[in-house]
DNA sequence: TGCGACTTGGC
DNA sequence: CCAAGTCGC
């Protein structure tokens, strides 16, 4: 019986349970499709669009060019494909984000009613089976519960229970796939081409699961042993840089955890904990879909915010006059990625030094990050802003100079991304105001006084808590 | 229910 | 040394 596998956040062939389920159901008549959905396509910025396009192209190659690419509303496109193929089942990896899950409910209902079908579908079609296999996570969101059966609100107990819950071994990689070929749709191909042709795109890594696995092997050999300490150093290449691949499902976290299982040491454990953060935030979003763009806790509902347009623009473009903040923001624009330490520093600066509401920053990050993930990004922002789970205590305000000197001790990171400071030696790059030539090459003056804004932020928090 | 524990800091 | 609320058991 013909079957259709609809790819979304699972753009790979290895360790893909839904692919295996679809193959087994199809009995030789399997088609694999990707739908360029205008809601997702236009909802994200050009960077995410380009990374997704590159990742789709990569999985198409991996499938021997037999990926069926279509454009349009999935509620029309998927039933139409089902008719074209005569499929009796549609297979997916379960989507767990609010919009993705809602879209899937809609498509599923249409298929099960048999009333879907785009143009040319036979009237009164038969019911089509909707099969969800696996999720983009080692443990599906919603499965980790505390002793009372409730979801966790705090990371550490979650991570313990998450490890205890465990996960299956990676799924087998299919030896060969005999896929049904359907006519390509020029409009969808054109959308991918356009997304990749943008002149203003940052430098992106190679897309696809082969590139992801190469990077992972390299990290296992070269990075893992120092990971626990190096991961916090933006001047070193201490992280795995896998986040963008995880985002599109070019690699499944279960595969990574399986490789870590055989390795002793702090690095392997710390890396697993970072994956646990990703799973925790997906779990939180699963239970609190509204927390994507609203305060998870309403304790700071009375906090007073500013909308300083010029200052926010200076933040976005990396011209705040605080070297480490500007380096982070420029790295984001240049390569579509920012070191995690910088995500915290720049987020703290926007929320506590400029007193701007966190969604303004979360939006900017999502628009420019190749790894932009709603759950991790927005809950991370809420952690900094003090409205999330496990929120940072409100009195914890990052000092951009202290942070810079601590985590970029030689100033290398700053000089790499802020050429106007490239002439300053060592950690002098963190304080151009203390160097006679500090502003010799056009670096902007500080737009605010950190000590003053810190006091202001604390006063505002104090007032809001009453 | 009481109590230990809590990613990432600043001064 | 400051600062503090709340989660989880």
């Amino acid at each position: 019986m013909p079957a259709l596998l609809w790819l979304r956040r699972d753009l790979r062939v290895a360790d893909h349970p839904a692919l295996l389920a679809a193959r087994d159901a199809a009995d030789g008549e399997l088609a694999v499709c990707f739908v360029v959905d205008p809601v997702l396509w236009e909802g994200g910025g050009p960077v995410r669009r380009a990374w997704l396009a590159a990742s789709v192209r990569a999985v198409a190659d991996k499938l021997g060019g037999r990926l069926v690419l279509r454009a349009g509303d999935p509620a029309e496109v998927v039933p139409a494909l089902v008719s074209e193929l005569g499929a009796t089942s549609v297979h997916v990896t379960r989507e767990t984000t609010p919009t993705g899950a809602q879209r899937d409910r809609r498509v599923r209902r249409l298929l099960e009613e048999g009333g879907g079908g785009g143009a040319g579908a036979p009237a009164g079609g038969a019911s089509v089976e909707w099969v969800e296999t696996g999720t983009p996570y080692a443990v599906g969101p919603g499965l980790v519960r505390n002793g009372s059966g409730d979801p966790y609100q705090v990371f550490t107990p979650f991570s313990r229970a998450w490890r205890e819950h465990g996960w299956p071994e990676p799924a087998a990689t299919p030896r060969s796939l005999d896929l049904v070929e359907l006519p390509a749709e020029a409009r969808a191909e054109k959308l991918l081409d356009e997304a990749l042709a943008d002149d203003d795109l940052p430098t992106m890594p190679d897309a696809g699961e082969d590139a992801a696995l190469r990077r992972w092997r390299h990290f296992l050999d070269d990075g893992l042993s120092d990971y626990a300490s190096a991961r916090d150093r933006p001047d070193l290449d201490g992280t795995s840089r896998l986040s963008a691949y995880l985002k599109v499902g070019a690699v499944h976290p279960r595969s990574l955890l399986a490789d870590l299982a055989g390795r002793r040491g702090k690095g392997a454990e710390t890396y697993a904990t970072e994956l646990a953060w990703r799973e925790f935030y997906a779990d939180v979003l699963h239970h609190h879909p509204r927390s994507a763009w609203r305060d998870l806790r309403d304790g700071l509902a009375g906090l007073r915010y500013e909308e300083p347009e010029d200052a926010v623009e200076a933040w976005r473009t990396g011209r705040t006059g605080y070297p480490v903040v500007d380096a982070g923001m420029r790295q984001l624009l240049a390569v579509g990625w920012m070191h995690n330490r910088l995500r915290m520093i720049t987020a703290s600066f926007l929320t506590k030094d400029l007193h701007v509401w966190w969604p303004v920053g979360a939006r900017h990050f999502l628009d420019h990050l190749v790894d932009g993930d709603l759950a991790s990004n927005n809950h991370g922002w809420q952690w900094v802003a003090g409205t999330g789970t496990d929120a940072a205590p409100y009195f914890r305000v990052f000092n951009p100079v202290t942070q810079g000197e601590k985590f970029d001790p030689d100033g290398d990171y700053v000089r790499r991304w802020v050429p106007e400071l490239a002439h300053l030696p060592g950690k002098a790059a963190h304080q151009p105001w203390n160097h006679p030539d500090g502003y010799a090459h056009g670096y902007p003056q500080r737009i605010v006084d950190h000590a003053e804004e810190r006091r202001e932020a604390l006063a505002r928090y104090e007032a809001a808590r009453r």
Side-chain angles (χ1 to χ4, degrees), chain A residues 318-341:
Chain A
R319 301 189 58 79
T320 66
Y322 284 92
V324 82
V325 173
D326 293 340
M329 298 308 292
R330 294 187 195 189
Q331 180 181 29
L332 173 62
L333 296 186
V335 296
W337 184 85
M338 196 197 292
H339 190 279
N340 179 59
R341 170 61 46 182

Side-chain angles (χ1 to χ4, degrees), chain A residues 94-446:
Chain A
R94 178 162 67 90
E95 189 44 79
T96 61
T97 61
T99 46
Q102 192 187 15
R103 172 203 60 205
D104 284 359
R105 281 193 296 274
R106 223 170 94 235
V107 176
R108 175 184 196 157
R109 199 177 333 112
L110 285 168
L111 292 170
E112 289 180 344
E113 286 166 359
S127 173
V128 175
E129 195 187 359
W130 173 267
V131 187
E132 298 183 335
T133 311
T135 70
Y137 302 94
V139 181
L143 293 180
V144 176
R145 307 275 180 154
N146 66 19
S148 323
D150 296 323
Y152 284 97
Q153 317 272 351
V154 168
F155 173 72
T156 305
F158 171 90
S159 69
R160 275 195 277 267
W162 174 79
R163 279 173 208 263
E164 199 144 316
H165 182 285
W167 37 82
E169 287 296 306
T173 303
R175 260 160 221 257
S176 66
L177 281 170
D178 187 19
L179 298 178
V180 175
E181 204 162 8
L182 293 175
E185 190 187 47
R187 190 162 60 105
E189 291 286 357
K190 187 157 169 269
L191 286 170
L192 295 197
D193 286 339
E194 284 169 359
L196 290 165
D198 191 330
D199 284 340
D200 298 325
L201 289 177
T203 312
M204 296 190 299
D206 291 340
E209 65 182 304
D210 292 345
L213 290 178
R214 272 198 303 275
R215 202 172 266 261
W216 175 239
R217 291 282 149 219
H218 178 255
F219 175 71
L220 284 178
D221 292 342
D222 262 27
L224 191 64
S225 55
D226 290 333
Y227 180 70
S229 55
R231 63 175 289 277
D232 235 347
R233 287 280 300 275
D235 55 331
L236 308 176
D237 189 17
T239 71
S240 72
R241 300 292 299 261
L242 280 182
S243 54
Y245 298 103
L246 285 163
K247 161 69 191 171
V248 295
V251 63
H252 194 284
R254 181 180 43 226
S255 299
L256 308 182
L257 288 161
D259 287 343
L260 291 174
R263 295 175 184 253
R264 296 262 164 269
K266 191 99 169 65
E269 176 155 348
T270 305
Y271 196 86
T273 302
E274 296 309 312
L275 289 175
W277 272 101
R278 177 174 177 273
E279 309 248 334
F280 174 61
Y281 282 143
D283 188 73
V284 172
L285 187 62
H286 170 82
H287 291 291
H288 308 277
R290 287 156 62 90
S291 72
W293 292 105
R294 302 165 64 107
D295 291 354
L296 190 67
R297 295 164 190 281
D298 53 15
L300 292 176
L303 197 61
R304 215 152 51 75
Y305 296 107
E306 301 296 324
E307 296 180 29
E309 275 180 40
D310 290 349
V312 172
E313 188 55 19
W315 177 80
R316 286 196 179 107
T317 53
R319 301 189 58 79
T320 66
Y322 284 92
V324 82
V325 173
D326 293 340
M329 298 308 292
R330 294 187 195 189
Q331 180 181 29
L332 173 62
L333 296 186
V335 296
W337 184 85
M338 196 197 292
H339 190 279
N340 179 59
R341 170 61 46 182
L342 272 300
R343 298 191 197 200
M344 292 189 286
I345 296 171
T346 56
S348 178
F349 191 83
L350 186 74
T351 55
K352 312 249 165 120
D353 286 73
L354 302 182
H355 320 293
V356 170
W357 193 39
W358 65 265
V360 173
R363 178 79 263 163
H364 179 75
F365 273 27
L366 282 185
D367 284 344
H368 292 277
L369 286 167
V370 286
D371 65 15
D373 173 88
L374 184 71
S376 297
N377 182 65
N378 291 32
H379 290 123
W381 270 89
Q382 294 211 49
W383 179 84
V384 174
T387 65
T389 51
D390 261 350
Y394 72 90
F395 48 82
R396 190 173 288 167
V397 178
F398 282 56
N399 180 318
V401 175
T402 312
Q403 287 280 313
E405 291 179 340
K406 186 165 175 195
F407 296 105
D408 177 29
D410 303 318
D412 292 338
Y413 179 76
V414 162
R415 279 189 298 276
R416 189 174 314 150
W417 296 107
V418 186
E420 306 99 291
L421 298 174
H423 63 292
L424 297 182
K427 60 168 56 179
H430 289 294
Q431 298 193 69
W433 47 86
N434 284 341
H435 196 279
D437 297 328
Y439 295 96
H441 296 281
Y443 187 64
Q445 297 285 334
R446 288 168 283 186

